[in-house]
Amino acid sequence: MNKQNKTEHLGVAGNKNIHQDWRVASLILVHLYIIIHLLLWYVFDLQWWGKTAMMGIPSLLAGHINAAAVMVVLIFGSILFYGRGFCGWACHMRGVVELSDWLLRKLGIPKYKALAKNNTLINTRYRWLFRIGAIYILTIGVIVYWVRNKYNFYIDMKSPVPMADLPGYNNLLFNEQSPINLALHVNGFSYVDFMYGLSGFVFIWFVMGVVFNYFYGQGAFCRILCPYAVLLTPLMNLNPLQKKITRVADCTGCRKCSNNCPQGIDVSREIYHFNGKVINRECIKCYNCLDACDDGVLEDTGKPAIPQVIPRKEYIKTPWLSETKHLQIPEEKIGPVTDFFSFVFALFAGSLFSILGGFWFYVGAIFGFIGFRKAASLFVAASVEKG
Ligand code: SF4
Ligand code: SF4
Ligand code: SF4
């Protein structure tokens, strides 16, 4: 496999892929860690340390300082110094999103191939409302539950067991009301139960990764829906010494970096307008831009940028106002009103599904979002045809 093919799934067109090899290794290690942790905890009954995941947010809300809560605090702290490196290198969901992207490219589905070819990322005007709505729905139940029941502060790195801070947890994989479930304790499940629960989880990931990517381009979950982005992005750009993607040599303005950013950041524009730095809060430090730049112009550093010596052609500051220049394009035939109501409908559908357990929220929200928008597009197309 040549280097070009190796990095194909990551959208990298340049010749270097050193960062991507390390990053893929890191994302695989995160999943190995999760598997080993679950096996130790549930199969071998070795409960040394508790859950380490974004589920630490429910724990923090419940006043429980456990391993997950500590991890969340460390992630937040790391952003002040390194930016959202956690997202690019250690978030297991990012691994799922990128694996889905790789799978869709390998399958060669024409629609996805067309999106991937030009790094087309479909986006929406009100995604911030969507993300805020998602974090509200995912946490409000926890807050109400713990305030009403037994809000108590304690510190214990081993306790509680994974997911126990979510209301409706009853030693089950999903909420106790979910029809698809799995008893989570040693000797509590057969292999059939295990496969049943695992299938439910794989289905949720499939919807969050493959289905969402298929309709909205690579990394759709991170760009449009991830509720944790709401908590992570305000911490970006607070520390003037925070490491950022920075121009460390003269830039030719070729835009290879921009065309390879999976988050749709116009890197070339950012370093042109913001003192040689990428200040966009959506940067997940994946380093695709570094790898794509044949001239080695970019580095992740807290040091000031090198001044541009050869003047670059004037660069438009608001490329999103020009459809042909912006990397993230709005969906065809979706106007602002439909756009807004698609969020409302998606959040409603997500809320209904979340009765089955937190993760089912995403299935409901994604199907609601896609379904509403597709129906609206068909309706508009039919009206135009009639008119
Ligand atoms: S945006 Fe969300 S899902 Fe994506 S990498 Fe960051 S925390 Fe993970
Ligand atoms: S940073 Fe590199 S890839 Fe990006 S526009 Fe400049 S020379 Fe091209
Ligand atoms: S700006 Fe560079 S490091 Fe940041 S998300 Fe885009 S490609 Fe990745």
Side-chain angles (χ1 to χ4, degrees):
M1 186 189 275
N2 63 31
K3 286 194 171 183
Q4 178 91 18
N5 287 341
K6 255 179 159 179
T7 55
E8 202 182 356
H9 65 288
L10 295 159
V12 176
N15 295 318
K16 301 170 291 171
N17 65 347
I18 178 82
H19 295 106
Q20 303 317 314
D21 289 346
W22 284 109
R23 208 165 64 79
V24 169
S26 171
L27 292 172
I28 290 171
L29 277 177
V30 167
H31 284 84
L32 284 179
Y33 163 80
I34 293 171
I35 292 167
I36 291 169
H37 182 255
L38 290 174
L39 285 174
L40 287 177
W41 191 285
Y42 290 116
V43 179
F44 298 104
D45 209 11
L46 296 171
Q47 299 173 355
W48 293 322
W49 75 100
K51 60 183 174 184
T52 48
M54 279 300 199
M55 303 272 281
I57 288 168
S59 296
L60 279 172
L61 290 172
H64 302 164
I65 307 304
N66 50 25
V70 170
M71 186 190 117
V72 165
V73 171
L74 287 176
I75 292 168
F76 285 4
S78 74
I79 290 173
L80 295 174
F81 297 95
Y82 303 107
R84 285 171 63 188
F86 163 77
C87 282
W89 291 73
C91 174
H92 85 94
M93 194 53 215
R94 185 75 205 171
V96 171
V97 163
E98 294 201 12
L99 180 66
S100 307
D101 180 54
W102 175 82
L103 205 67
L104 284 165
R105 285 175 198 241
K106 284 283 165 214
L107 289 174
I109 299 165
K111 182 190 156 174
Y112 198 73
K113 257 171 94 176
L115 283 180
K117 187 168 170 256
N118 301 319
N119 193 23
T120 303
L121 309 170
I122 298 170
N123 223 324
T124 51
R125 293 170 187 84
Y126 306 111
R127 64 182 167 152
W128 279 101
L129 288 180
F130 202 13
R131 288 166 160 183
I132 291 169
I135 192 81
Y136 174 79
I137 289 167
L138 289 171
T139 54
I140 189 69
V142 182
I143 296 169
V144 170
Y145 177 82
W146 287 105
V147 169
R148 278 201 190 152
N149 289 274
K150 41 187 174 182
Y151 191 87
N152 58 335
F153 178 83
Y154 66 78
I155 300 175
D156 183 353
M157 288 308 122
K158 285 193 294 184
S159 172
V161 295
M163 287 172 283
D165 288 326
L166 296 174
Y169 171 81
N170 188 13
N171 273 315
L172 295 167
L173 180 62
F174 299 117
N175 187 290
E176 55 193 351
Q177 293 169 45
S178 174
I180 298 173
N181 234 318
L182 171 64
L184 288 176
H185 43 79
V186 183
N187 304 325
F189 55 84
S190 67
Y191 283 107
V192 175
D193 291 335
F194 177 75
M195 292 313 292
Y196 197 43
L198 186 68
S199 311
F201 228 89
V202 169
F203 174 72
I204 292 173
W205 281 354
F206 175 78
V207 174
M208 292 160 81
V210 177
V211 174
F212 216 16
N213 270 8
Y214 174 75
F215 284 101
Y216 295 95
Q218 64 167 319
F221 184 80
C222 298
R223 291 182 292 107
I224 300 174
L225 178 57
C226 177
Y228 299 119
V230 177
L231 305 172
L232 305 178
T233 48
L235 300 167
M236 295 284 279
N237 302 339
L238 286 183
N239 175 8
L241 300 177
Q242 183 197 52
K243 284 176 125 190
K244 289 188 173 60
I245 305 300
T246 304
R247 181 183 60 223
V248 294
D250 237 27
C251 167
T252 63
C254 70
R255 298 190 83 252
K256 274 189 191 163
C257 49
S258 304
N259 293 337
N260 284 280
C261 174
Q263 289 288 87
I265 298 168
D266 196 338
V267 182
S268 180
R269 164 191 170 266
E270 297 256 330
I271 59 171
Y272 181 90
H273 282 293
F274 304 112
N275 298 323
K277 297 264 178 187
V278 171
I279 62 161
N280 194 303
R281 291 164 196 266
E282 298 293 330
C283 173
I284 57 168
K285 294 290 176 82
C286 66
Y287 297 158
N288 276 322
C289 53
L290 268 68
D291 290 347
C293 181
D294 297 325
D295 301 306
V297 170
L298 301 170
E299 202 179 293
D300 186 18
T301 175
K303 292 184 195 150
I306 302 293
Q308 176 82 17
V309 177
I310 304 167
R312 261 176 63 181
K313 202 166 73 187
E314 178 63 27
Y315 202 94
I316 186 167
K317 193 161 188 179
T318 52
W320 47 89
L321 296 179
S322 150
E323 274 186 24
T324 51
K325 288 215 165 115
H326 193 34
L327 295 164
Q328 307 207 36
I329 58 162
E331 206 168 354
E332 270 182 81
K333 302 190 199 84
I334 295 279
V337 176
T338 313
D339 214 354
F340 177 77
F341 280 104
S342 67
F343 287 118
V344 177
F345 186 79
L347 290 173
F348 175 71
S351 307
L352 282 182
F353 272 66
S354 67
I355 293 168
L356 304 177
F359 280 104
W360 287 98
F361 165 83
Y362 296 115
V363 175
I366 290 169
F367 280 146
F369 182 80
I370 294 169
F372 187 94
R373 295 167 82 87
K374 293 295 161 205
S377 299
L378 288 176
F379 180 75
V380 172
S383 311
V384 170
E385 217 168 88
K386 259 191 193 170

